[in-house]
Amino acid sequence: MTEKQASQEIVIGIDLGTTNSLAAIVGKDGPRILHQRDGEALIPSVVSFLDDGSHIVGEKARHRAVTHPRHTVHSVKRLMGQNIDEVKQRESDRLGYQVVQAKDSLLARIDIDGKLYTPQEISAMILGEVRRTAEEALGKPVKSAVITVPAYFDDAQRQATRDAAKIAGLQALRIVNEPTAAALAYGLDTSREGTVVVYDLGGGTFDVSVLKITQGVYKVSATAGNTHLGGDDFDMLIVDFILDAVKEHIASDATIPPEAMQQIRLSAEQLKQQLSASETAALEIDLDLEEPVHFTLSRADFETAIRPLIDETLACCHSALTDAGIQPEAVDEVVMVGGSTRIPLVRQLVEKDLGRKLHVELDPDRVVALGASIQADILSGGTKDLLLLDVIPLSLGIETVGGAFSKLVTRNSTVPARATEMFSTSVDDQTSIEINVFQGERELVRDCRQLGAFKLRGIPPMPAGLPRVEVTFLVDADGVLTVTSREQRSEVEASIEVVPSHGLTRDEVKDIIRNSIKMARDDFLARDLVELRNKANNLATGTRRVLAMPEMPFTDEQRQDLETDLAHLDSLAKGEDIAELRAKCDAFGEKTQALADQAIGEAIKAELNREQSKLPSSPQQP
Ligand code: AMP
């Protein structure tokens, strides 16, 4: 694409939220939100299916949730790139619709009267609505967007978001972390350097991220949060107060009908929002009793009730800061995101706790979309002096012989990242190699997560260890991984773009890292054993090859001696005794080295000493 074409393209920023979604664009006067025809900016991220199979999106769909819960899909973002077990564990009965397992994988699907939808398809319906809104507001077609995701989204969840955009006919030019977008919206960019805490308390989730900005480069240093803590929980605390009041007016065994419960929930949310502006709030609840129940709540009582939940968010902030290795005093800026940060107590406590004046000037529901539009503007050729970088949450690498995990790109590398390493074959005349790509922090692939596999075919038959297989990992700015392998002598090449089969939650990433620390010693020993076994096998193969050469001037006695050594080496390599195997490898290595020096030319010496990391032989190999 030429610079000119790029500068003409319309690129919008989209905040694809769990509860609401919205779009923004940078115009002549700076970033602005794109409104729907009725003036509303927020599009509820809800899709409802009608009897004729068609669907509606947004506010109308949200209203249908009460009457048609099984046909109305909300919070689909929680299902993106997730397998069914993860969803069942975390969401269990919170979703009114049915979530089932896909036929051909472990992934979660949404079941509407027997028709299965992927979370990507449902998200695409929401994105389609956002796109239509933007096109109406701009009077022009929109084909490209920058879409935000939580900082803890892994490769699978980001890829699912990208796929959703594709289904909606949008090219996701960039997937940007929500906290990074929020910081961008506040212009905390090139002019400042330092640490930014982004505190995001929405309707259903709480996220805190620690960003480091250096010379215009944003890096997410740590994230923490709770996927089930937010404004909805505050609503439920008020519902409890209301129910206590209602119970004084009805018989003790009377039950409250579901519609009335839903009404109470909505009223509770209204009360909560009023309490952000006034000291008390009141409402009348009509339960078809003689007279409506009058209910009043003071801000003080509300604050006492929600205080433990806010304290929990503060604890998360400190844990993120600890993870990032930052003292609270070293925080430069605090950005508030999400509707629930309008609650005065939330602001007070965060401000006091972090000791910084908060950024609350922008609408906390819109700040992420505004930031996304700034990134969109950068990509469409507007602003040029800003670079966004994120980090890779878990190390990436491949399986080598014996099941060892060879890491090419380590955890916390900034993206885009590139790494190349040289490998070789482990079996003579191996004409194809399977490259198994893994993600994780442990030493053996059995303890890591497989991301994908592909085959490099057409290698000319050569002795084991001779092919030079170059493996390159490239993680692009969106975190998409491309693995390429190339045999240098024959120039055959193969590659894959990794689309991981299921996602990991932030807690799982944490667990993986924690486990790698806990298991470090065991892993080290297991890896040591694998490497020693490989060394023993290499030594044995090389020696046997040399022994088989007719021109070798070995005496019968020397041959017999080497055969005895080889048998001993083989049996030790099958066992578990690391110390003995190491001693034998060292001794035998010295012995063959001496033999090589004595009797053989350079090429054969190399044969005995070849020590390149070897790839596992392909299972299809004859
Ligand atoms: P978000 O997920 O960021 O859209 O935030 C939605 C949450 O913010 C919901 O729980 C809303 O009830 C809550 N919210 C919106 N406005 C206010 C307000 N003025 N005071 C308290 N909570 C609010």
Side-chain angles (χ1 to χ4, degrees):
M1 195 185 299
T2 66
E3 183 108 359
K4 188 141 182 254
Q5 276 172 320
S7 66
Q8 285 168 347
E9 192 186 346
I10 292 185
V11 188
I12 59 171
I14 299 179
D15 172 4
L16 180 61
T18 310
T19 324
N20 295 304
S21 296
L22 70 163
I25 193 160
V26 175
K28 280 197 297 293
D29 305 322
R32 67 184 166 95
I33 295 291
L34 296 169
H35 292 263
Q36 299 167 73
R37 227 180 296 164
D38 61 6
E40 270 299 317
L42 303 184
I43 301 172
S45 305
V46 184
V47 175
S48 189
F49 290 86
L50 309 180
D51 292 343
D52 63 3
S54 62
H55 65 266
I56 51 174
V57 182
E59 194 56 44
K60 284 199 204 107
R62 193 167 82 108
H63 279 297
R64 257 185 128 242
V66 184
T67 49
H68 298 79
R70 292 178 73 81
H71 293 94
T72 306
V73 186
H74 61 90
S75 306
V76 72
K77 189 169 171 180
R78 294 183 188 277
L79 311 185
M80 295 286 270
Q82 302 284 288
N83 74 28
I84 188 75
D85 296 339
E86 291 163 329
V87 173
K88 286 240 159 91
Q89 245 173 39
R90 261 174 306 130
E91 313 300 335
S92 55
D93 38 66
R94 288 172 205 254
L95 307 171
Y97 50 93
Q98 234 193 326
V99 181
V100 296
Q101 183 180 336
K103 278 200 191 72
D104 48 356
S105 73
L106 295 173
L107 292 171
R109 296 279 182 268
I110 294 120
D111 183 344
I112 305 287
D113 293 337
K115 186 165 172 11
L116 301 192
Y117 294 89
T118 61
Q120 288 90 317
E121 285 172 298
I122 305 285
S123 292
M125 293 171 189
I126 299 163
L127 282 172
E129 188 67 19
V130 175
R131 179 186 175 186
R132 261 188 299 284
T133 299
E135 290 183 334
E136 260 182 38
L138 295 165
K140 287 184 189 151
V142 174
K143 296 201 180 69
S144 309
V146 166
I147 302 176
T148 57
V149 295
Y152 61 81
F153 257 29
D154 73 350
D155 294 345
Q157 293 165 302
R158 283 165 202 260
Q159 186 58 43
T161 306
R162 199 182 286 282
D163 292 343
K166 206 182 277 172
I167 303 170
L170 278 172
Q171 193 194 356
L173 289 186
R174 188 64 62 89
I175 300 289
V176 171
N177 289 324
E178 288 161 9
T180 306
L184 264 180
Y186 273 107
L188 309 178
D189 48 32
T190 40
S191 55
R192 297 172 213 223
E193 303 221 331
T195 304
V196 182
V197 168
V198 180
Y199 178 102
D200 181 351
L201 186 60
T205 58
F206 169 66
D207 293 306
V208 57
S209 312
V210 181
L211 303 183
K212 279 190 191 152
I213 309 179
T214 335
Q215 292 165 348
V217 173
Y218 283 74
K219 190 168 151 173
V220 178
S221 297
T223 65
N226 183 335
T227 48
H228 288 293
L229 195 170
D232 298 348
D233 299 288
F234 304 160
D235 299 348
M236 289 316 290
L237 291 171
I238 300 184
V239 166
D240 289 344
F241 282 134
I242 298 178
L243 289 180
D244 285 346
V246 165
K247 279 181 188 144
E248 286 174 18
H249 295 81
I250 56 173
S252 58
D253 56 350
T255 51
I256 298 168
E259 304 81 59
M261 268 310 290
Q262 182 62 20
Q263 198 48 52
I264 290 175
R265 240 175 246 167
L266 291 176
S267 307
E269 184 175 6
Q270 278 168 12
L271 273 186
K272 171 186 76 176
Q273 298 192 356
Q274 284 171 25
L275 287 175
S276 289
S278 54
E279 291 296 328
T280 57
L283 87 146
E284 307 261 297
I285 305 152
D286 191 356
L287 286 175
D288 285 339
L289 299 170
E290 273 165 28
E291 52 187 56
V293 178
H294 187 77
F295 177 75
T296 309
L297 184 64
S298 71
R299 187 190 276 181
D301 285 345
F302 172 62
E303 289 182 342
T304 310
I306 64 169
R307 174 82 196 234
L309 296 178
I310 305 178
D311 285 342
E312 206 181 304
T313 68
L314 298 176
C316 282
C317 291
H318 287 276
S319 115
L321 285 170
T322 308
D323 283 355
I326 304 258
Q327 296 294 327
E329 308 78 60
V331 172
D332 297 297
E333 316 266 359
V334 182
V335 169
M336 301 296 269
V337 180
S340 299
T341 60
R342 293 199 181 89
I343 297 173
L345 184 69
V346 171
R347 292 184 177 182
Q348 269 167 35
L349 293 180
V350 176
E351 187 160 316
K352 185 159 162 250
D353 192 67
L354 294 176
R356 286 284 166 285
K357 199 152 171 36
L358 311 177
H359 280 289
V360 289
E361 307 89 287
L362 295 172
D363 183 330
D365 287 321
R366 302 175 184 204
V367 41
V368 169
L370 292 171
S373 77
I374 295 173
Q375 173 66 19
D377 188 48
I378 297 169
L379 293 176
S380 62
T383 319
K384 291 210 174 63
D385 54 352
L386 208 62
L387 202 67
L388 295 180
L389 282 196
D390 293 319
V391 294
I392 293 163
L394 292 172
S395 303
L396 300 165
I398 62 170
E399 176 181 9
T400 51
V401 161
F405 179 40
S406 175
K407 291 175 192 161
L408 275 91
V409 181
T410 50
R411 186 169 96 76
N412 277 338
S413 307
T414 45
V415 292
R418 191 191 171 88
T420 296
E421 255 181 54
M422 209 58 87
F423 296 90
S424 193
T425 51
S426 54
V427 173
D428 285 344
D429 299 333
Q430 202 175 324
T431 55
S432 73
I433 294 174
E434 180 140 335
I435 305 281
N436 292 308
V437 182
F438 284 83
Q439 177 182 47
E441 299 311 317
R442 305 281 297 275
E443 294 296 330
L444 301 182
V445 291
R446 62 158 198 242
D447 300 316
C448 298
R449 175 186 188 225
Q450 182 153 23
L451 294 180
F454 68 104
K455 250 192 186 159
L456 177 65
R457 294 194 166 85
I459 304 169
M462 282 182 253
L466 220 55
R468 289 172 59 77
V469 182
E470 184 187 74
V471 176
T472 302
F473 271 51
L474 180 68
V475 186
D476 72 13
D478 297 321
V480 175
L481 166 67
T482 309
V483 182
T484 311
S485 76
R486 185 167 176 276
E487 201 286 306
Q488 289 193 324
R489 294 173 205 266
S490 54
E491 301 202 343
V492 289
E493 190 175 305
S495 71
I496 49 163
E497 192 169 284
V498 172
V499 181
S501 55
H502 72 286
L504 289 176
T505 62
R506 174 177 35 200
D507 288 345
E508 284 163 333
V509 169
K510 262 196 185 157
D511 274 354
I512 289 171
I513 296 165
R514 217 176 286 137
N515 257 333
S516 75
I517 297 167
K518 198 167 85 194
M519 302 302 292
R521 198 185 130 73
D522 289 356
D523 275 3
F524 176 76
L525 292 175
R527 168 105 194 196
D528 215 16
L529 185 59
V530 166
E531 283 175 356
L532 277 170
R533 281 176 177 158
N534 291 343
K535 187 171 178 184
N537 288 337
N538 287 347
L539 274 169
T541 311
T543 311
R544 290 203 164 97
R545 195 173 293 133
V546 173
L547 279 174
M549 293 177 180
E551 67 274 22
M552 284 297 121
F554 292 129
T555 62
D556 284 351
E557 203 179 320
Q558 272 174 323
R559 278 181 191 277
Q560 189 53 49
D561 182 42
L562 285 171
E563 292 291 358
T564 313
D565 275 330
L566 283 170
H568 189 202
L569 191 64
D570 283 349
S571 89
L572 285 178
K574 286 194 189 92
E576 306 273 326
D577 192 328
I578 295 182
E580 220 183 318
L581 180 59
R582 192 191 315 279
K584 184 72 195 172
C585 278
D586 289 348
F588 190 60
E590 270 173 36
K591 190 184 230 174
T592 52
Q593 179 76 44
L595 276 176
D597 287 345
Q598 226 182 64
I600 336 168
E602 281 302 312
I604 296 160
K605 204 175 346 172
E607 191 73 74
L608 288 172
N609 292 326
R610 201 177 297 136
E611 278 253 355
Q612 217 162 17
S613 263
K614 303 270 172 68
L615 296 160
S617 62
S618 199
Q620 271 86 31
Q621 202 55 36

